[in-house]
Amino acid sequence: MKTMQQGWLSNWLVKHEVVHRSLIFDHRGIETLQIKAGDWDSIAIILYVYGYNYIRSQCAYDVAPGGSLASVYHLTRIQYGIDNPEEVCIKVFSQKDNPRIPSVFWIWRSADFQERESYDMVGISYDNHPRLKRILMPGSWIGWPLRKDYITPNFYEIQDAH
Amino acid sequence: MSLPLTRKDLMIVNMGPQHPSMHGVLRLIVTLDGEDVIDCEPILGYLNRGMEKIAENRTIIQYLPYVTRWDYLATMFTEAITVNAPEFLENIQIPQRASYIRVIMLELSRIASHLLWLGPFMADLGAQTPFFYIFRERELIYVLFEAATGMRMMHNYFRIGGVAADLPYGWIDKCLDFCDYFLRGVVEYQQLITQNPIFLERVEGVGFISGEEAVNWGLSGPMLRASGLQWDLRKVDPYESYNQFDWKVQWQKEGDSLARYLVRIGEMRESIKIIQQAVEKIPGGPYENLEVQRFKKEKNSEWNDFEYKFLGKKPSPNFELSRQELYVRVEAPKGELGIYLVGDDSLFPWRWKIRPPG
């Protein structure tokens, strides 16, 4: 039964007394959880051992202009020949002035470029990432382009429009 | 004058951003020991156009011409996912005919992309003639696209709720002619390439990726399928009426370059099969769901409230995204193309994250 299965991760975490907040499911019914940055290391390993072996995508965004930053991970379990794979979406929030989140590169290798892109665009620095450099912008760029309060330098038409 | 041979130092070579033969802009800093590559560091970002930031300031209709520029070899997939994301968000049904037209266009685009993979792949191995053959086939696909959408490559064809215009009269017959011609073309490639001993020697056993490593590194698409995993998003979460056609997932067990080559050639054949079935079964009916072009009905507040929407003139129809988030994906020819869309209660998305394939 689908309604009983969704929410199982939240129940499991409550049973093991991990402080987390279960956000509402997103529009397709995928369970979304919010995890603290301090717990993210251990929970990532737990999820990997459970079987979520594929990071589908990792993105970062800022929740409100001037607010906190969120790093979102979509995890799936890829197996031989299944229909309707299990998926889960984890959000890790961090504050804006010194955003640091543990990296999951050593668990899922595909987080390499994706975390570099989150670092480049939004500014979340990931601890234990082997080469956290800017990936899309030139290496000497200042500023985090995808934040809502970013002002594009030398782009006077947009600045006038604001 | 003889220079002392220093074989102990490793040489660092920069293969600069521009490459001949259509590899795109990719800068590789390669550390060489003689002729063996020891370390390779790719430097990306030369083609970063700020698509995600632009998306935060455009409505979906305004953004559609941008999306074909993400992956200019397989353009219909980018449009399909840009349009699928709001459709899933607001639960919009599209008419059957539109779904079938979309499937035909997507499979033609997949063939075009695999053809353009084949050309530079053979050119890298040293065989330069298939590079011209693929452009001959791709030209036929361009002609089909131009007849239906008006542009050869950067078609602005998909809309929320269907497609922009119906197929012109006689397009289906031309499409079937193309399918017959292309099946014979694939046989020609098989004879030319697959049984060729030079090709096999260079490609068999090269570049082995095991299944577990492939999943851990986040590969998808033909690279994952060539390593033994039958993971095809068209079968795993069926979208766009793919479950009404009879086709098989192409996969191989070995995980080397030859397996990836065979998977892609097999996928081209399966795409032709799907197109032929879709073209036979295409239903009549509307091709666009025009109901979606209305504003979301909201109660207008009192005339002296702060939030009163004063409609000075009739606004153009726009599509408002509700405050939800969602991750949609399609099976692009290079892998899994996904969009993570965080909606705001406004015309513009709050965050539009593109998960690139491959």
Side-chain angles (χ1 to χ4, degrees), chain B residues 7 9-11 13 30-39:
Chain B
R7 304 224 51 178
D9 294 350
L10 303 171
M11 186 155 80
V13 169
V30 177
T31 315
L32 295 171
D33 173 23
E35 266 193 15
D36 301 324
V37 175
I38 308 256
D39 191 20

Side-chain angles (χ1 to χ4, degrees), chain A residues 26-28 53-54 56 59-60 62 74 87 91 107-110 117 133 135 145-148, chain B residues 41 44 53 56 88-89 215-217 219-220 324-327 329 336 340 350-351 353 355:
Chain A
D26 78 352
H27 193 75
R28 289 179 83 188
N53 49 6
Y54 188 66
R56 249 200 164 124
C59 96
D62 48 350
H74 289 269
E87 294 184 46
K91 290 197 188 182
I107 311 177
W108 295 287
R109 289 273 180 284
S110 67
E117 182 191 345
K133 301 186 291 203
I135 185 171
L146 239 97
R147 290 199 184 166
K148 293 287 175 180
Chain B
E41 187 193 334
L44 314 172
K53 185 88 180 177
E56 292 172 7
F88 275 123
L89 202 63
V215 168
N216 205 350
W217 276 99
L219 299 177
S220 54
Q324 296 190 37
E325 50 190 57
L326 140 91
Y327 178 73
R329 53 237 178 193
E336 172 188 332
Y340 175 63
W350 181 256
R351 173 75 165 108
K353 149 88 182 165
R355 187 262 194 221

Side-chain angles (χ1 to χ4, degrees), chain B residues 173-275:
Chain B
D173 300 323
K174 281 291 175 197
C175 194
L176 282 173
D177 287 343
F178 169 73
C179 293
D180 296 331
Y181 173 74
F182 189 68
L183 278 177
R184 279 181 284 137
V186 168
V187 169
E188 193 184 310
Y189 293 143
Q190 296 276 79
Q191 286 171 342
L192 189 61
I193 301 175
T194 317
Q195 309 294 330
N196 196 334
I198 305 180
F199 173 75
L200 288 177
E201 202 179 296
R202 285 205 62 168
V203 149
E204 201 162 0
V206 168
F208 176 71
I209 302 182
S210 71
E212 272 185 28
E213 234 181 83
V215 168
N216 205 350
W217 276 99
L219 299 177
S220 54
M223 302 204 58
L224 191 60
R225 285 196 280 280
S227 297
L229 284 150
Q230 277 189 22
W231 184 263
D232 190 336
L233 284 172
R234 297 173 283 172
K235 288 264 190 215
V236 164
D237 41 26
Y239 60 93
E240 295 280 6
S241 74
Y242 270 106
N243 44 3
Q244 297 180 13
F245 305 120
D246 170 36
W247 57 282
K248 289 201 231 7
V249 175
Q250 297 289 317
W251 65 287
Q252 301 276 333
K253 272 201 287 268
E254 293 93 32
D256 55 0
S257 291
L258 181 63
R260 296 193 271 270
Y261 165 82
L262 289 172
V263 162
R264 287 185 171 109
I265 297 278
E267 275 190 8
M268 286 204 271
R269 276 222 179 91
E270 294 291 318
S271 294
I272 291 279
K273 248 171 50 177
I274 298 180
I275 296 179

Side-chain angles (χ1 to χ4, degrees), chain B residues 295 310-316:
Chain B
F295 266 125
F310 177 63
L311 299 175
K313 56 176 182 175
K314 187 163 179 293
S316 54

Side-chain angles (χ1 to χ4, degrees), chain A residues 69-84:
Chain A
L69 305 173
S71 172
V72 184
Y73 301 79
H74 289 269
L75 304 166
T76 316
R77 179 203 254 181
I78 287 198
Q79 251 180 8
Y80 181 78
I82 51 174
D83 226 5
N84 275 341

